[in-house]
Amino acid sequence: MIERRTFVWHGLEHPAFVARGASDGPKLSLIGGVHGCEYSSIAAVTKVMKELDTSELAGTITAVPVVSMESFRHRSPFVVPADGKNLNRSFPGSRDGTYTDVLARSIYDDLIAPADVLLDLHGGDQVEGLEPFAIYEASPVEERAHGIAAAFNLPYVVREERRDGGLGGLTTSAAAAAGIPGVIAEAGGRGLLETEAVGLLANGVRNVLRRLEMLPGEPESPPAGQRRVGSFIWLRSTNEGWWDSAVEAGDEVVEGRLLGRVRNLWGDVLEEVVAPRDGVILFITTSPAVAADGLLLGLGADFAQV
């Protein structure tokens, strides 16, 4: 059976599904809408749950299409409008912090800590183009997390090493610290609802469920050429101005290639941005407007076959 319920966080109702299988198995949490404008990933959560046959399911799935309702309602990219914090840099959160800290703690307590596996669906936000990939964190449970990430069957699988200046505070970071394998899967972007991206993510979730033996059938093998990314390098602007990109998401580049320029509004070049390593553009800011220290793109480097 699939139960419809709500989680109430900060007085806002967050619709959820709880699917209980016909036999015992893992407890899996499936979430979307950590960033409220990543619509394809939100739609994929709902699609999986609406099409799920619980007579075939082993275990339990708790799914919340949008975990940041304030961001969704206000069409707020990247940050929660109540305090301007990025929810996916705030886990596991705190009951004593600001709005986003408390929301992160609620999500952690209700969805992450009780789970055996966490799947967190994302995509490029309103001003991001994106090449589909899955990401997990280096941890004592990384072998299991890597297998789950690869089973999404996306072109790239990113291993994120915890380090100074790294991402940190992700849903998957909090899960890994609790000994729970967690994966973020990303497809779609630019604030659009894209049928292909919804399908990629929904099919990826189903393949993961087969890998975990929560659904019957053999999981599909990763696509030929799926690559593991050992380094995820985020490049930022020095100056504010007009971002004039010279590449797109999915482009492979060599070290030293021009990736774009930041200009002032007279059209003068303030800085040129070049590739620090050989790699692939996993996401890129598609808006010309960029702030000082603004995020421009994410470069995946240090490839290996999965």
Side-chain angles (χ1 to χ4, degrees), residues 6 10 136 187 256 285 290 304:
T6 56
H10 284 299
Y136 66 95
T285 296
V290 64

Side-chain angles (χ1 to χ4, degrees), residues 90 273 289:
S90 303
V273 180

Side-chain angles (χ1 to χ4, degrees), residues 194-217:
E194 301 174 80
T195 301
E196 182 178 358
V198 175
L200 279 173
L201 292 172
N203 289 337
V205 171
R206 296 187 190 105
N207 204 51
V208 168
L209 294 175
R210 290 192 290 270
R211 177 184 170 81
L212 296 172
E213 299 182 344
M214 296 180 70
L215 286 180

Side-chain angles (χ1 to χ4, degrees), residues 35-284:
H35 298 132
C37 302
E38 296 176 359
Y39 300 117
S40 296
S41 51
I42 293 169
V45 175
T46 302
K47 179 178 176 66
V48 168
M49 299 309 292
K50 292 287 286 183
E51 296 176 356
L52 183 67
D53 182 353
T54 56
S55 70
E56 297 183 332
L57 179 68
T60 303
I61 302 172
T62 303
V64 184
V66 177
V67 296
S68 182
M69 192 59 67
E70 165 131 326
S71 299
F72 177 75
R73 287 179 170 178
H74 289 272
R75 301 192 185 102
S76 176
F78 304 111
V79 300
V80 178
D83 56 12
K85 290 184 176 181
N86 187 333
L87 177 58
N88 214 29
R89 303 293 181 272
S90 303
F91 287 93
S94 168
R95 291 293 180 189
D96 300 321
T98 66
Y99 185 105
T100 300
D101 300 319
V102 175
L103 176 60
R105 190 71 207 187
S106 298
I107 296 165
Y108 179 82
D109 287 345
D110 290 342
L111 296 171
I112 298 176
D116 297 313
V117 175
L118 171 70
L119 304 181
D120 180 9
L121 305 189
H122 283 255
D125 217 312
Q126 280 188 354
V127 295
E128 285 182 323
L130 183 133
E131 176 73 2
F133 66 91
I135 184 170
Y136 66 95
E137 185 159 305
S139 76
V141 294
E142 71 172 271
E143 184 175 349
R144 293 174 61 201
H146 172 79
I148 293 167
F152 266 95
N153 288 354
L154 300 175
Y156 296 95
V157 175
V158 180
R159 178 183 183 270
E160 173 68 15
E161 187 83 46
R162 187 172 294 190
R163 65 191 187 281
D164 291 342
L167 296 180
L170 307 179
T171 53
T172 49
S173 305
I180 300 161
V183 170
I184 291 172
E186 306 230 13
R190 293 185 172 92
L192 301 175
L193 179 58
E194 301 174 80
T195 301
E196 182 178 358
V198 175
L200 279 173
L201 292 172
N203 289 337
V205 171
R206 296 187 190 105
N207 204 51
V208 168
L209 294 175
R210 290 192 290 270
R211 177 184 170 81
L212 296 172
E213 299 182 344
M214 296 180 70
L215 286 180
E218 287 296 316
E220 296 177 5
S221 299
Q226 185 186 69
R227 289 190 285 182
R228 178 171 174 169
V229 175
S231 300
F232 200 7
I233 304 163
W234 290 30
L235 302 183
R236 311 185 77 91
S237 62
T238 301
N239 302 277
E240 69 173 356
W242 180 279
W243 166 233
D244 183 10
S245 64
V247 291
E248 297 181 354
D251 285 353
E252 294 199 17
V253 300
V254 297
E255 182 177 345
R257 176 175 168 179
L258 178 69
L259 304 178
R261 298 178 173 91
V262 178
R263 304 176 185 270
N264 61 27
L265 293 181
W266 286 281
D268 304 321
V269 175
L270 302 176
E271 60 185 287
E272 291 191 336
V273 180
V274 300
R277 308 266 285 280
D278 295 354
V280 61
I281 308 300
L282 291 178
F283 71 82
I284 190 164

